[in-house]
Short mmCIF file of all heavy atoms in Angstrom, two decimals:
data_model
loop_
_atom_site.label_atom_id
_atom_site.label_comp_id
_atom_site.label_asym_id
_atom_site.label_seq_id
_atom_site.Cartn_x
_atom_site.Cartn_y
_atom_site.Cartn_z
N LEU F 213 90.59 112.47 55.73
CA LEU F 213 91.71 111.45 56.06
C LEU F 213 92.63 112.10 57.03
O LEU F 213 93.11 111.38 57.96
CB LEU F 213 92.33 111.06 54.85
CG LEU F 213 93.36 109.94 54.97
CD1 LEU F 213 92.71 108.65 55.47
CD2 LEU F 213 94.04 109.75 53.56
N SER F 214 92.93 113.45 57.02
CA SER F 214 93.82 113.96 57.89
C SER F 214 93.18 114.03 59.26
O SER F 214 93.85 113.76 60.36
CB SER F 214 94.20 115.42 57.46
OG SER F 214 94.88 116.07 58.47
N SER F 215 91.92 114.34 59.34
CA SER F 215 91.11 114.32 60.62
C SER F 215 91.14 112.89 61.20
O SER F 215 91.28 112.70 62.46
CB SER F 215 89.76 114.76 60.42
OG SER F 215 88.96 114.75 61.63
N ILE F 216 90.96 111.86 60.34
CA ILE F 216 90.99 110.47 60.79
C ILE F 216 92.49 110.07 61.41
O ILE F 216 92.50 109.41 62.43
CB ILE F 216 90.53 109.57 59.65
CG1 ILE F 216 89.07 109.71 59.27
CG2 ILE F 216 90.83 108.12 60.12
CD1 ILE F 216 88.67 108.86 58.15
N ARG F 217 93.35 110.53 60.74
CA ARG F 217 94.84 110.40 61.26
C ARG F 217 94.95 110.98 62.63
O ARG F 217 95.53 110.40 63.50
CB ARG F 217 95.78 110.89 60.26
CG ARG F 217 96.00 110.14 58.99
CD ARG F 217 96.91 110.84 58.07
NE ARG F 217 98.19 111.20 58.67
CZ ARG F 217 99.28 110.55 58.61
NH1 ARG F 217 99.31 109.32 58.07
NH2 ARG F 217 100.36 110.93 59.16
N THR F 218 94.48 112.15 62.80
CA THR F 218 94.58 112.80 64.07
C THR F 218 93.89 112.16 65.19
O THR F 218 94.29 111.87 66.20
CB THR F 218 94.10 114.32 63.96
OG1 THR F 218 94.88 115.04 62.97
CG2 THR F 218 94.41 114.96 65.34
N GLY F 219 92.57 111.65 64.83
CA GLY F 219 91.82 110.87 65.78
C GLY F 219 92.36 109.52 66.03
O GLY F 219 92.41 109.08 67.20
N PHE F 220 93.03 108.94 65.03
CA PHE F 220 93.67 107.61 65.14
C PHE F 220 94.89 107.77 66.06
O PHE F 220 95.12 106.95 66.95
CB PHE F 220 93.99 107.17 63.87
CG PHE F 220 94.65 105.65 63.85
CD1 PHE F 220 93.89 104.80 64.58
CD2 PHE F 220 95.81 105.35 63.22
CE1 PHE F 220 94.45 103.38 64.61
CE2 PHE F 220 96.28 103.99 63.29
CZ PHE F 220 95.59 103.19 63.91
N GLN F 221 95.46 108.84 65.98
CA GLN F 221 96.79 109.02 66.83
C GLN F 221 96.25 109.28 68.20
O GLN F 221 96.88 108.71 69.22
CB GLN F 221 97.45 110.27 66.30
CG GLN F 221 98.84 110.55 67.12
CD GLN F 221 99.83 109.51 67.01
OE1 GLN F 221 100.51 109.30 66.07
NE2 GLN F 221 100.04 108.76 68.16
N SER F 222 95.21 110.07 68.52
CA SER F 222 94.83 110.30 69.86
C SER F 222 94.21 108.93 70.40
O SER F 222 94.55 108.77 71.71
CB SER F 222 93.60 111.25 69.76
OG SER F 222 93.07 111.61 71.01
N SER F 223 93.56 108.22 69.64
CA SER F 223 93.10 106.95 70.23
C SER F 223 94.21 106.01 70.58
O SER F 223 94.10 105.35 71.58
CB SER F 223 92.13 106.27 69.10
OG SER F 223 90.99 107.09 68.79
N ILE F 224 95.14 105.95 69.74
CA ILE F 224 96.33 105.10 69.93
C ILE F 224 97.08 105.60 71.36
O ILE F 224 97.47 104.66 72.19
CB ILE F 224 97.38 105.15 68.80
CG1 ILE F 224 96.89 104.27 67.67
CG2 ILE F 224 98.74 104.52 69.22
CD1 ILE F 224 97.65 104.17 66.47
N ASN F 225 97.12 106.88 71.48
CA ASN F 225 97.80 107.45 72.69
C ASN F 225 96.98 107.03 73.96
O ASN F 225 97.46 106.63 74.88
CB ASN F 225 97.77 108.91 72.66
CG ASN F 225 98.77 109.47 71.64
OD1 ASN F 225 99.70 108.80 71.27
ND2 ASN F 225 98.72 110.56 71.26
N SER F 226 95.70 107.00 73.75
CA SER F 226 94.73 106.63 74.86
C SER F 226 94.95 105.09 75.13
O SER F 226 94.99 104.68 76.20
CB SER F 226 93.32 106.97 74.53
OG SER F 226 92.48 106.53 75.51
N PHE F 227 95.01 104.38 73.95
CA PHE F 227 95.23 102.88 74.17
C PHE F 227 96.59 102.51 74.85
O PHE F 227 96.50 101.75 75.73
CB PHE F 227 95.25 102.28 72.74
CG PHE F 227 95.34 100.84 72.69
CD1 PHE F 227 94.26 99.97 72.98
CD2 PHE F 227 96.57 100.16 72.46
CE1 PHE F 227 94.45 98.52 72.82
CE2 PHE F 227 96.77 98.83 72.32
CZ PHE F 227 95.70 98.08 72.54
N GLN F 228 97.67 103.49 74.42
CA GLN F 228 98.78 103.16 75.05
C GLN F 228 98.87 103.59 76.59
O GLN F 228 99.37 102.88 77.45
CB GLN F 228 99.91 104.00 74.36
CG GLN F 228 101.31 103.92 75.01
CD GLN F 228 102.25 104.70 74.19
OE1 GLN F 228 102.13 104.98 72.99
NE2 GLN F 228 103.44 105.08 74.86
N ASP F 229 98.13 104.65 76.94
CA ASP F 229 98.07 104.96 78.30
C ASP F 229 97.39 103.80 79.11
O ASP F 229 97.66 103.73 80.38
CB ASP F 229 97.15 106.24 78.41
CG ASP F 229 97.89 107.47 77.81
OD1 ASP F 229 99.14 107.41 77.69
OD2 ASP F 229 97.24 108.49 77.50
N GLN F 230 96.28 103.29 78.63
CA GLN F 230 95.57 102.21 79.30
C GLN F 230 96.51 101.01 79.62
O GLN F 230 96.49 100.51 80.72
CB GLN F 230 94.33 101.64 78.64
CG GLN F 230 93.24 102.70 78.48
CD GLN F 230 92.72 103.15 79.84
OE1 GLN F 230 92.53 102.31 80.65
NE2 GLN F 230 92.46 104.53 79.93
N LEU F 231 97.29 100.69 78.61
CA LEU F 231 98.38 99.55 78.80
C LEU F 231 99.42 99.94 79.76
O LEU F 231 99.76 99.17 80.60
CB LEU F 231 98.91 99.20 77.47
CG LEU F 231 98.09 98.59 76.41
CD1 LEU F 231 98.80 98.23 75.24
CD2 LEU F 231 97.26 97.31 76.97
N GLN F 232 99.99 101.22 79.69
CA GLN F 232 100.88 101.78 80.62
C GLN F 232 100.26 101.70 82.06
O GLN F 232 101.05 101.45 83.07
CB GLN F 232 101.40 103.14 80.24
CG GLN F 232 102.23 103.15 79.01
CD GLN F 232 102.74 104.52 78.71
OE1 GLN F 232 102.04 105.55 78.96
NE2 GLN F 232 103.87 104.61 78.15
N LEU F 233 99.01 102.02 82.25
CA LEU F 233 98.46 101.98 83.59
C LEU F 233 98.48 100.58 84.13
O LEU F 233 98.88 100.47 85.27
CB LEU F 233 96.88 102.42 83.43
CG LEU F 233 96.18 102.29 84.77
CD1 LEU F 233 96.83 103.32 85.78
CD2 LEU F 233 94.65 102.66 84.54
#
Side-chain angles (χ1 to χ4, degrees):
L213 187 58
S214 176
S215 176
I216 291 176
R217 283 172 56 90
T218 302
F220 186 49
Q221 181 66 66
S222 178
S223 299
I224 287 179
N225 292 339
S226 177
F227 182 80
Q228 177 178 339
D229 291 341
Q230 293 297 319
L231 295 181
Q232 285 182 330
L233 176 62

